[in-house]
Amino acid sequence: MMRLPAARRQTAAARLAQVCPRLDAPHHRRDGRSMPTLDPVTLAVLENRFRAVVEEMGEALLRTATSQILNSSRDFSIALCDAQGRLVAQADHIPVHVGAMPFAAEAVLQAFPGQMRPGDCFLLNDPWHGGSHLPDLTIVLPVFDRPRPDSDPRPAASDHRDGRSLVFLCVVRAHQSDIGGATHGGYNPSATEIWQEGIRIPPIRLGENDTLREDLVQMLALNTRIARDFRGDLMAMWGSARLGAKRLEALLAGHGAAKLNAATDAILDLAEAHARRIIAAWADGTWQGEAVLDDDGHGAQDVTIRATVTKQGGALTVDLTASDPQTLGFVNSSWPNTVSAVRMALAYLLDPEVAKNDGAFRPLTVLAKEGTVVRAAEGAAVTLCTSHCSNEIVEAVVKALANACPTRAMGGWGRRFRIAIQGTDPRRAGKKFVWHLFHARPGGGGHATGDGWSGAGEWHSAGGLKFGSVEMAEARFPLFFRRHEFLPGSAGDGQYRGGLGGELELVVETAGPARANTAGDGARHGAAGMLGGQDGAPHHYRLMPAQGTPRDLRTKETGVPLAPGDVLHVRSGGGGGWGDPAKRDPAARAADAAEGLI
């Protein structure tokens, strides 16, 4: 490793000391326990080590997962929590996952108080036991310090039977291509209760002594339609978590638990101070913002999210209690998902340099009423919530805060409209498959410094979900991409326009009939314009059968019949514009016209 000259090391330390002067004094935990004093350079190194661990875990999962939803579309996230369940570090994956993952860590801690041992592995997915929705499996793997002499200072976590103490939790969340239930693909638009959406898993001890319990793995795989993919993805998740534990154990061996606990506290405190300084510069006041879902798939239309946001000094309160009552369909949100969506909205308005951890979210208070669409009562159908209504929660909060920090607010990002196809591949001896549409992504919103990103995706993923290689999808599945390009005119106009959506013509080449489900929103309401910007175009999806009459696809349909030669024609919406369209630079309009974007 390259070592900086002494003069440069001193300069770097002085700069960090200005940012975090409290580190020059003895550090105390919130419970009053004295902890080691850390210099700013050591703290910066440890913070980057924590981030490096979660990034390496993510690369390991990407390279070892079985299903295309993980190894191509990257629908997974990694987090590091401490022994109190606080978010310490995250990798750049899916924002709506990460804000909710501390709920999973806390659920495991509550379910197994003082019962964790080295080599254990825990699993959950239930929205009322630490999860967000059933397709997202979450592995939580504890990391312990080494046995300590009685004279050593005791770490924060309670002791365990072998004399070791819990220090960290490696948390891996990954979306499964199928999770059982009444329909393939993990989304059931017909569901009116969670038991119709898949298998519910409260926190369970999936493995011990560095070995997974085969009886539990077999039981879970048996409840999915593509057991091979499920097993492969579960092994990849476990391997990713074990890699993180290995890296953290090496870090503990070099620095000790007391020092890393002190670093964790300091990192979170600094992120809190950084976030509060930014929020304090915004205008004080109370504002309202609304966002509307098309429908719930069961007759309820224009389901509305209402956010009342109060900003005072360095603190924010987001009150969602006026949102519509929970619906019969699966657009309801679980509480972890709602909190995560509000955290997303705040994260998007902070500086990129602010560490997105527990400390950064301490200035935020979230209120919601049970029985509303943003905090559904236990048993409700909720599978779509990580897309919708999470996107609408973000949109409502950003609309409200645009009054306080207009140059930080951005136009709405496009909404999710997915298709899951189940069929048989004629090229592989009739092998069954489930394929999820991640292509033809919608556009991102315009902002105060430029146009939105075309094809960037939805607000809940902020570019974290990828559509992957067209050629790879054709090689792995009986599909042919006849067209896949940007869709001119789909973006909302503004001083800075939104990003473009996409146009896709997908030919089905299955062996015999196949079925499709749709799950999404945005065919009636496009991504919102901001501060005078125009809304993005809504989605328009059509089924063009080889034999029969073309028809529009609804955003929430079950059991759509497909035949070989049928074509799915997708026209996805663009992002919302930012600012008055009359203020757009004429040269930018001319460039758009020359490139065929309008």
Side-chain angles (χ1 to χ4, degrees):
M1 179 181 293
M2 183 179 69
R3 185 171 176 82
L4 291 174
R8 290 185 64 188
R9 293 201 304 272
Q10 292 171 0
T11 301
R15 288 175 179 171
L16 280 167
Q18 293 176 356
V19 176
C20 44
R22 287 178 293 176
L23 297 182
D24 295 333
H27 184 69
H28 295 270
R29 295 180 58 88
R30 290 177 178 244
D31 58 11
R33 185 181 294 123
S34 179
M35 300 297 286
T37 300
L38 297 177
D39 65 273
V41 172
T42 299
L43 184 66
V45 170
L46 291 176
E47 182 177 14
N48 281 282
R49 286 290 297 274
F50 291 152
R51 183 172 178 83
V53 169
V54 292
E55 288 177 343
E56 187 179 4
M57 290 169 64
E59 284 299 307
L61 177 55
L62 175 68
R63 296 170 188 273
T64 57
T66 301
S67 71
Q68 58 90 24
I69 203 170
L70 300 186
N71 62 28
S72 180
S73 298
R74 305 182 183 222
D75 197 349
F76 63 82
S77 295
I78 310 292
L80 173 63
C81 293
D82 70 357
Q84 301 173 57
R86 301 179 302 178
L87 178 63
V88 177
Q90 59 166 300
D92 291 332
H93 291 127
I94 312 300
V96 76
H97 283 170
V98 182
M101 286 163 76
F103 286 88
E106 293 165 7
V108 170
L109 291 170
Q110 292 172 8
F112 299 93
Q115 302 171 37
M116 296 184 186
R117 297 181 295 272
D120 281 351
C121 174
F122 301 91
L123 181 75
L124 62 85
N125 76 343
D126 188 74
W128 286 275
H129 295 88
S132 290
H133 71 165
L134 297 184
D136 285 338
L137 287 188
T138 304
I139 276 182
V140 178
L141 195 145
V143 181
F144 296 82
D145 69 338
R146 293 184 172 184
R148 67 188 194 316
D150 292 340
S151 59
D152 281 359
R154 178 172 297 186
S158 59
D159 286 339
H160 294 258
R161 294 178 183 177
D162 61 356
R164 302 176 70 174
S165 294
L166 179 66
V167 185
F168 294 113
L169 297 167
C170 293
V171 188
V172 179
R173 176 163 289 182
H175 189 110
Q176 305 303 300
S177 57
D178 190 83
I179 199 65
T183 61
H184 68 273
Y187 292 85
N188 180 9
S190 300
T192 58
E193 56 184 9
I194 194 170
W195 295 277
Q196 299 164 345
E197 297 187 297
I199 185 170
R200 297 178 67 180
I201 309 169
I204 61 172
R205 183 182 273 113
L206 183 67
E208 49 194 348
N209 299 321
D210 292 318
T211 304
L212 296 187
R213 287 184 52 183
E214 176 56 27
D215 57 342
L216 288 178
V217 173
Q218 183 177 1
M219 183 273 291
L220 295 169
L222 192 63
N223 276 276
T224 69
R225 291 169 175 81
I226 311 294
R228 175 182 174 273
D229 284 5
F230 180 89
R231 278 181 169 271
D233 289 347
L234 188 64
M235 295 302 108
M237 293 171 65
W238 182 46
S240 170
R242 293 181 73 192
L243 175 63
K246 181 180 179 180
R247 296 291 184 260
L248 290 167
E249 286 166 356
L251 202 57
L252 282 163
H255 294 277
K259 187 174 183 180
L260 295 186
N261 282 328
T264 296
D265 281 350
I267 288 167
L268 301 187
D269 288 346
L270 288 168
E272 177 185 3
H274 196 172
R276 289 192 187 277
R277 284 198 300 272
I278 294 170
I279 295 169
W282 303 347
D284 286 342
T286 298
W287 301 277
Q288 281 76 39
E290 290 189 358
V292 182
L293 293 94
D294 291 352
D295 60 85
D296 75 333
H298 292 269
Q301 291 194 334
D302 295 337
V303 180
T304 304
I305 311 299
R306 299 178 181 88
T308 299
V309 182
T310 300
K311 186 269 171 181
Q312 184 64 46
L316 285 170
T317 298
V318 175
D319 188 343
L320 302 169
T321 57
S323 298
D324 279 358
Q326 72 182 60
T327 70
L328 194 60
F330 64 171
V331 300
N332 302 300
S333 184
S334 61
W335 179 236
N337 182 73
T338 289
V339 173
S340 184
V342 178
R343 287 173 174 172
M344 273 195 296
L346 173 59
Y348 295 159
L349 299 175
L350 296 175
D351 293 349
E353 294 79 14
V354 178
K356 308 307 187 296
N357 57 32
D358 177 85
F361 301 130
R362 287 175 186 165
L364 180 63
T365 300
V366 184
L367 304 175
K369 180 181 178 182
E370 187 172 17
T372 59
V373 67
V374 296
R375 192 170 187 173
E378 183 168 357
V382 297
T383 297
L384 194 59
C385 72
T386 55
S387 298
H388 304 286
C389 57
S390 72
N391 269 32
E392 289 70 31
I393 293 171
V394 175
E395 190 169 283
V397 173
V398 172
K399 278 184 178 179
L401 282 173
N403 297 281
C405 53
T407 59
R408 291 176 179 266
M410 69 294 292
W413 284 49
R415 302 190 176 192
R416 183 82 166 104
F417 188 168
R418 65 170 270 301
I419 301 174
I421 300 174
Q422 181 184 36
T424 302
D425 190 342
R427 304 166 302 176
R428 292 177 170 83
K431 179 184 175 182
K432 295 182 179 179
F433 70 92
V434 174
W435 180 80
H436 294 259
L437 172 69
F438 281 89
H439 297 74
R441 311 294 288 172
H447 46 89
T449 58
D451 297 337
W453 294 324
S454 296
E458 308 83 10
W459 234 332
H460 73 277
S461 61
L465 289 177
K466 314 296 183 185
F467 60 70
S469 163
V470 166
E471 292 78 11
M472 184 63 70
E474 290 178 334
R476 295 178 66 180
F477 301 95
L479 304 167
F480 172 61
F481 289 75
R482 195 162 68 188
R483 173 188 291 186
H484 190 230
E485 58 192 37
F486 290 141
L487 178 61
S490 56
D493 199 4
Q495 182 178 350
Y496 296 103
R497 62 163 173 79
L500 274 66
E503 184 167 15
L504 166 68
E505 292 180 5
L506 182 69
V507 184
V508 177
E509 296 183 338
T510 55
R515 290 184 301 151
N517 296 330
T518 66
D521 207 78
R524 296 179 62 236
H525 300 285
M530 200 68 60
L531 299 166
Q534 295 180 1
D535 293 351
H539 298 307
H540 188 202
Y541 285 27
R542 286 179 64 78
L543 173 60
M544 316 287 287
Q547 302 291 330
T549 304
R551 73 171 181 90
D552 291 346
L553 288 172
R554 301 190 304 276
T555 55
K556 303 165 185 73
E557 289 194 56
T558 304
V560 178
L562 298 176
D566 286 358
V567 177
L568 295 169
H569 185 194
V570 171
R571 294 168 63 89
S572 63
W578 185 96
D580 184 355
K583 297 181 179 180
R584 184 163 178 79
D585 186 347
R589 291 199 182 280
D592 285 346
E595 294 177 14
L597 303 182
I598 56 176

